[in-house]
Amino acid sequence: MAEHPDWYGTYLQRHVASFLHERIWGRLLPTLSGMAGVTMIDLEPERSVAIGSRYHVRFKRHRIDGAISTFRTDSALRFWSNRVEPLSPDMEVWSLALGYLWDDDRIQYPLISLRESMDKIVWVRPLQVAADGAGGQEVTALTVETVDLPDFDLTTLTDEDIAEAE
């Protein structure tokens, strides 16, 4: 870009997103490859990361309303349809969207989201960690304006709550 800064002005947002995703994927491959329990899936057109057998992650650009863009293929529809009630705890698999908030034609901050379908968000949270007044760490939540977005505060769960849910 230093040699031709004028080129950026002619790029479509889709091109900019593709370029960013290629660079991010290029950085993730050497970072995550070889980690225990992590499988990198790089079979065009799918690129995703499996963490153990419970979490599958795809990298996505999120708009301010939390929406993501993807082609409505059978594979994508299946990937983004997380079950609210799994058939059994042993079969629980969660598909997550890891990415960034794109606003004002630039990356605002990294975030992660869980969806019930391609179009329905369960929750979305930024991956920003800031120090609170007591010197501890605090994660701030991204506010998404939608009626059916539940608010989950899992920080108040105790070991008893977790044992009871199992």
Side-chain angles (χ1 to χ4, degrees):
M1 289 308 237
E3 190 173 325
H4 290 281
D6 55 316
W7 288 3
Y8 179 78
T10 64
Y11 292 163
L12 296 173
Q13 282 195 17
R14 180 183 201 119
H15 175 77
V16 173
S18 292
F19 179 80
L20 287 171
H21 290 201
E22 289 297 325
R23 295 306 314 133
I24 292 167
W25 186 257
R27 184 91 161 113
L28 282 176
L29 275 174
T31 303
L32 297 178
S33 292
M35 288 183 83
V38 175
T39 304
M40 304 294 287
I41 300 154
D42 193 3
L43 302 169
E44 195 170 334
E46 180 188 345
R47 281 184 165 167
S48 61
V49 178
I51 303 168
S53 60
R54 308 260 325 231
Y55 302 99
H56 291 183
V57 181
R58 288 189 181 170
F59 194 82
K60 290 291 176 187
R61 174 177 61 169
H62 293 65
R63 290 189 297 275
I64 194 71
D65 63 357
I68 58 172
S69 297
T70 190
F71 291 106
R72 291 178 130 358
T73 63
D74 288 340
S75 172
L77 291 169
R78 281 193 307 274
F79 184 86
W80 297 116
S81 64
N82 287 298
R83 290 182 156 282
V84 174
E85 294 292 327
L87 297 174
S88 88
D90 296 335
M91 296 176 68
E92 207 172 49
V93 176
W94 300 104
S95 299
L96 301 170
L98 177 65
Y100 54 90
L101 176 64
W102 181 263
D103 192 32
D104 291 330
D105 294 334
R106 64 187 180 100
I107 294 174
Q108 299 296 323
Y109 49 81
L111 52 80
I112 191 166
S113 66
L114 174 70
R115 308 175 117 51
E116 202 171 289
S117 68
M118 283 174 58
D119 302 320
K120 188 169 182 182
I121 303 166
V122 175
W123 52 256
V124 59
R125 297 289 183 262
L127 299 176
Q128 297 182 172
V129 178
D132 64 14
Q137 291 185 339
E138 177 178 57
V139 177
T140 56
L142 169 67
T143 302
V144 176
E145 298 298 327
T146 179
V147 175
D148 46 359
L149 178 66
D151 186 29
F152 294 104
D153 181 8
L154 303 179
T155 61
T156 61
L157 288 178
T158 64
D159 290 338
E160 278 180 359
D161 294 328
I162 294 168
E164 189 176 293
E166 295 175 344

